[in-house]
Amino acid sequence: MNSRRTFVKSAALLSAGVLLSPELLASSKKNIGLQLYTVRDAMQQDPAATLARVAKLGYTCMEGATYTGNQKFYGMEPAAFAKVLKQNGLKMPSSHYLLGEQENNGQPTQGTILHGWDKAVDDAAQVGIKYMVCAWLTESERGNLDHYKLLAERLNKAGERCKKAGIQMAYHNHDFEFAAQNGQLPYGVLLKETDKSLVQMELDLYWATKAGHDPVELFKQNPGRFPLWHVKDMDKTPQQNFTEVGNGSIDFKRIFAQAKLAGLKHFFVEQDQTPGSPFDSIQQSITHIKRNLI
């Protein structure tokens, strides 16, 4: 009888959508991530001090936003950067990279998916990165649906190289991937044309929502495909600007309730623009997450 009551109670809670996945409960309470683009100016000026400050706010997982052509992380060699992370009790399970199709002053941009990828993967492994993410596409790198199919081929190839190093390739969206072309979404093309064992998705909850797409529906249509999320809120103005998590219109409780369906492994707070100090904003965001989401 007791076991049955426990089952019924658990089933009721689950159906109500208030139980998070075991994976999320086990890891996310102590592993709240930050996309370092949010504090990019501070990282450029003094990365070590910035990481220390972020750690004091309670963030434990970083997502890198800068890997330069000379194969350095924020001006540091991989071993040196890994040491700074460790000194502050931080890990960096994920980092962003550029495609590299667009040249820089007539020269290919190194440290990108198309140029110097082998070295980039080796450096990522040295830092302990588990996900290498295509961060965004320049306007010239977007193109038509055929160009997105070519991108999918390139991502698959990059993913094969990542897999050899025990790393997962992923793709991070903005809103332009949801602009229909001939009745198809470029994002749909990427989902279909990439091998899900080689290329997973980092869903930016803000950009998907702004483009008019429900993250939960994307999870239902592509279960297990979204191990990474960007947790970024949208204010309630007509402009739909970025705001601190909990201050805006996105229903994160509903989305977090589907973490298991999505296949969530890591999420990262990101706020592209802040009204004042980005450290004040990320403190507001982590406070809301701890009190209301996990």
Side-chain angles (χ1 to χ4, degrees), residues 16-262:
V18 298
L19 281 184
L20 299 182
S21 72
E23 294 88 347
L24 187 62
L25 285 172
S27 64
S28 294
K29 284 187 176 180
K30 59 182 179 180
N31 290 320
I32 299 177
L34 176 70
Q35 166 46 256
L36 289 172
Y37 182 74
T38 309
V39 290
R40 55 193 176 276
D41 292 338
M43 284 296 292
Q44 184 175 6
Q45 295 169 9
D46 192 337
T50 302
L51 291 171
R53 188 173 179 182
V54 165
K56 287 181 179 179
L57 292 177
Y59 291 93
T60 59
C61 289
M62 304 293 99
E63 183 174 54
T66 298
Y67 177 78
T68 58
N70 57 1
Q71 288 77 50
K72 291 184 178 181
F73 295 91
Y74 298 97
M76 289 178 268
E77 297 292 341
F81 185 68
K83 184 177 180 180
V84 173
L85 289 170
K86 187 176 181 179
Q87 288 172 342
N88 289 285
L90 301 173
K91 295 182 179 180
M92 195 163 82
S94 180
S95 190
H96 277 194
Y97 298 83
L98 297 177
L99 176 60
E101 185 179 275
Q102 180 173 300
E103 294 185 343
N104 184 16
N105 295 324
Q107 298 296 322
T109 303
Q110 295 298 314
T112 60
I113 293 169
L114 297 181
H115 304 287
W117 190 240
D118 283 335
K119 181 66 164 60
V121 172
D122 291 342
D123 287 348
Q126 193 172 353
V127 172
I129 292 168
K130 299 301 181 183
Y131 294 87
M132 299 180 74
V133 185
C134 181
W136 84 300
L137 307 176
T138 65
E139 288 191 25
S140 65
E141 291 173 338
R142 299 170 197 176
N144 56 27
L145 294 177
D146 286 337
H147 203 70
Y148 277 99
K149 290 180 181 179
L150 174 61
L151 171 61
E153 292 178 12
R154 289 167 163 172
L155 292 174
N156 282 333
K157 184 177 179 180
E160 289 176 352
R161 177 63 181 86
C162 286
K163 190 173 184 179
K164 293 177 181 178
I167 296 173
Q168 175 71 61
M169 185 73 206
Y171 181 85
H172 167 263
N173 67 282
H174 288 77
D175 57 350
F176 55 79
E177 297 93 341
F178 293 97
Q181 298 184 27
N182 299 322
Q184 296 185 62
L185 299 181
Y187 197 70
V189 170
L190 292 177
L191 283 166
K192 180 181 178 181
E193 298 292 332
T194 52
D195 182 335
K196 62 182 179 181
S197 69
L198 298 175
V199 182
Q200 295 279 47
M201 295 293 176
E202 178 174 59
L203 190 66
D204 190 302
L205 302 177
Y206 169 94
W207 287 115
T209 301
K210 188 169 186 178
H213 290 264
D214 180 2
V216 173
E217 288 303 314
L218 288 170
F219 301 158
K220 291 178 180 178
Q221 295 163 12
N222 306 276
R225 197 76 190 269
F226 304 92
L228 307 176
W229 298 354
H230 273 189
V231 177
K232 180 191 308 181
D233 213 344
M234 176 190 300
D235 74 15
K236 300 174 184 178
T237 68
Q239 292 74 31
Q240 298 181 315
N241 296 317
F242 308 111
T243 191
E244 294 74 22
V245 178
N247 285 350
S249 59
I250 296 179
D251 188 350
F252 289 111
K253 282 189 176 181
R254 175 175 172 269
I255 296 170
F256 270 75
Q258 301 303 323
K260 185 175 182 179
L261 178 65

